Amino acid sequence: MTRHAVTLIPGDGVGPEICDASVRVLEATGVEFDWDLQQAGEAAIAEFGTPLPDHVLESIRKNKVALKGPITTPVGSGFRSVNVALRQALDLYALVRPVRAYKGAHNLRDDLDFIIVRENTEDIYAGLEFERGTPDAEHLIEEISTVSGSERIVKFAFDYARRNNRRKVTAVHKANIMKHTDGLFLSVARQVAAKNTDIEFEDRIVDNMCMQLVLRPKEYDVLCCPNLYGDIISDLGAGMIGGLGLAPGANIGTNGAVFEATHGSAPKYAGQNKVNPMAVMLSGVMMLRYLEEVAAADALEKAIANVIALGENVTYDLKEKRDDPTAVGTSQVADAVIAQLKAAV
Ligand code: NAD
């Protein structure tokens, strides 16, 4: 059996608790890991004077795979987002966020199953733009959205669709207003689509996309989004399947991948053994698939789905009422998932 070297970044806020719970269920699958524990965020500032020390990036470059908890970003002042810096430093250009309804969760509909592929490195969404070619505009527009950046994310979406038996890619944009930045993204998307005719292609303006997802989600399959729209649609998607506690993600680049939940560090719940670890656990399922441990991935996803469906050993966010006294804590969810894994053997 292959042992997998994986960088483990617990992060801060609720990160350490949900990562601990996720490591326990990942190990219970029988897959063997060599965890390379690394601190980033508040813990790293205390120890190394910076929230993202070089040796953390080096560890991910070496292992090529990381499981990461959320990291707090100070609002308005303080250090830049460690999450954004890490994605850029490692050129993790594609963020894959599945939106899947599990039976028993508070789903908008029980048949939801679509994938958000979010561009992860560009698109500062400045709201300021000038016509391409005018003297002081060229540099700004190039910074916001590039041909190469657009091309690689759309190619990634088509490759992802093909590998995962998905039928359609929808490019999401606001090219009617942002003609030179989103317009570039859309025209590159159409060019890539013309070379990938085995997969259907269409485009949607982002505001319409949001409404369509709520009303007619079954018409959509793989959504390919620039950075900011992908960020917003990710939370819309999380809301459609019962909340952030069930929304996983994978940051993928050419030389490695970092798996993390969509949600943040929820600092008000830190240290309380309260929040749902399933978004990180499901990110772990994605990691197992990336590591080609497909049987373990399927078993873990099924075990998590069973715990959700039974509805007993779940955290407050999956209960009908958020103050339900029968809600369990983070570590008890891990115990329940492990029990399901053992019961299935
Ligand atoms: P958040 O996602 O941390 O929390 C918002 C709310 O969602 C929480 O108060 C809680 O009610 C709920 N929630 C989140 N995760 C949950 C879980 N696992 N189980 C149950 N409920 C859950 O968003 P925020 O408060 O806007 O951000 C807090 C910090 O996290 C900020 O500093 C932000 O920058 C950072 N952040 C980090 C990442 C990341 O590390 N990738 C992502 C988003 C936000």
Side-chain angles (χ1 to χ4, degrees), residues 68 70-73 83 260 263-266 268 275-276 316-317:
K68 174 184 165 296
I71 295 175
T72 307
T73 305
N83 309 302
E260 64 176 339
H263 66 73
S265 57
K268 69 180 177 196
V275 300
N276 192 346
Y316 73 100
D317 55 309

Side-chain angles (χ1 to χ4, degrees), residues 123 125 127 129 145 171-187 190 203-210 224-230 232-233:
D123 169 28
Y125 202 70
E129 63 167 13
S145 185
V172 182
H173 62 86
K174 188 78 184 174
N176 51 333
I177 304 297
M178 319 283 282
K179 292 185 193 297
H180 303 289
T181 50
D182 284 20
L184 174 84
F185 174 76
L186 178 58
S187 87
R190 285 179 173 149
D203 68 276
R204 287 284 180 277
I205 293 172
V206 60
D207 35 357
N208 179 31
M209 183 78 253
C210 291
C224 183
C225 309
N227 206 340
L228 182 68
Y229 308 148
I232 296 167
I233 290 178

Side-chain angles (χ1 to χ4, degrees), residues 49-288:
T50 166
L52 185 58
D54 282 345
H55 61 255
V56 177
L57 294 172
E58 277 316 308
S59 164
I60 305 173
R61 284 194 186 101
K62 176 166 66 76
N63 295 323
K64 302 199 185 309
V65 180
L67 184 67
K68 174 184 165 296
I71 295 175
T72 307
T73 305
V75 178
S77 61
F79 58 82
R80 280 181 62 221
S81 164
V82 173
N83 309 302
V84 173
L86 191 144
R87 293 166 189 168
Q88 288 183 341
L90 300 171
D91 200 23
L92 302 168
Y93 67 91
L95 176 42
V96 178
R97 286 175 165 169
V99 178
R100 173 171 294 173
Y102 291 100
K103 190 167 174 273
H106 303 300
N107 302 312
L108 193 62
R109 297 164 48 129
D110 285 335
D111 58 356
L112 293 170
D113 181 15
F114 61 90
I115 306 286
I116 297 164
V117 173
R118 168 183 166 189
E119 203 291 321
N120 218 10
T121 59
E122 299 193 329
D123 169 28
I124 57 174
Y125 202 70
L128 246 186
E129 63 167 13
F130 310 91
E131 193 171 337
R132 182 170 287 275
T134 56
D136 52 355
E138 194 67 16
H139 181 69
L140 176 63
I141 293 171
E142 288 296 333
E143 284 292 307
I144 295 173
S145 185
T146 66
V147 172
S148 58
S150 302
E151 196 173 58
R152 68 179 179 171
I153 194 67
V154 180
K155 278 186 179 161
F156 180 96
F158 274 98
D159 289 347
Y160 181 94
R162 193 171 292 113
R163 274 200 318 278
N164 292 280
N165 298 318
R166 299 270 171 176
R167 69 196 153 80
K168 180 159 82 174
V169 170
T170 304
V172 182
H173 62 86
K174 188 78 184 174
N176 51 333
I177 304 297
M178 319 283 282
K179 292 185 193 297
H180 303 289
T181 50
D182 284 20
L184 174 84
F185 174 76
L186 178 58
S187 87
V188 169
R190 285 179 173 149
Q191 286 163 27
V192 174
K195 293 180 190 148
N196 289 273
T197 49
D198 57 320
I199 308 279
E200 280 178 61
F201 173 77
E202 63 180 8
D203 68 276
R204 287 284 180 277
I205 293 172
V206 60
D207 35 357
N208 179 31
M209 183 78 253
C210 291
M211 185 197 68
Q212 296 280 338
L213 275 182
V214 174
L215 290 183
R216 281 185 285 280
K218 289 305 285 176
E219 290 180 18
Y220 299 95
D221 201 0
V222 176
L223 310 180
C224 183
C225 309
N227 206 340
L228 182 68
Y229 308 148
D231 184 37
I232 296 167
I233 290 178
S234 296
D235 273 42
L236 172 67
M240 292 168 76
I241 53 162
L244 285 165
L246 293 176
N251 300 279
I252 298 180
T254 313
N255 295 311
V258 175
F259 297 83
E260 64 176 339
T262 297
H263 66 73
S265 57
K268 69 180 177 196
Y269 295 126
Q272 294 177 27
N273 188 39
K274 182 171 172 84
V275 300
N276 192 346
M278 287 173 168
V280 181
M281 290 178 178
L282 291 166
S283 305
V285 169
M286 296 177 79
M287 181 178 84
L288 287 170

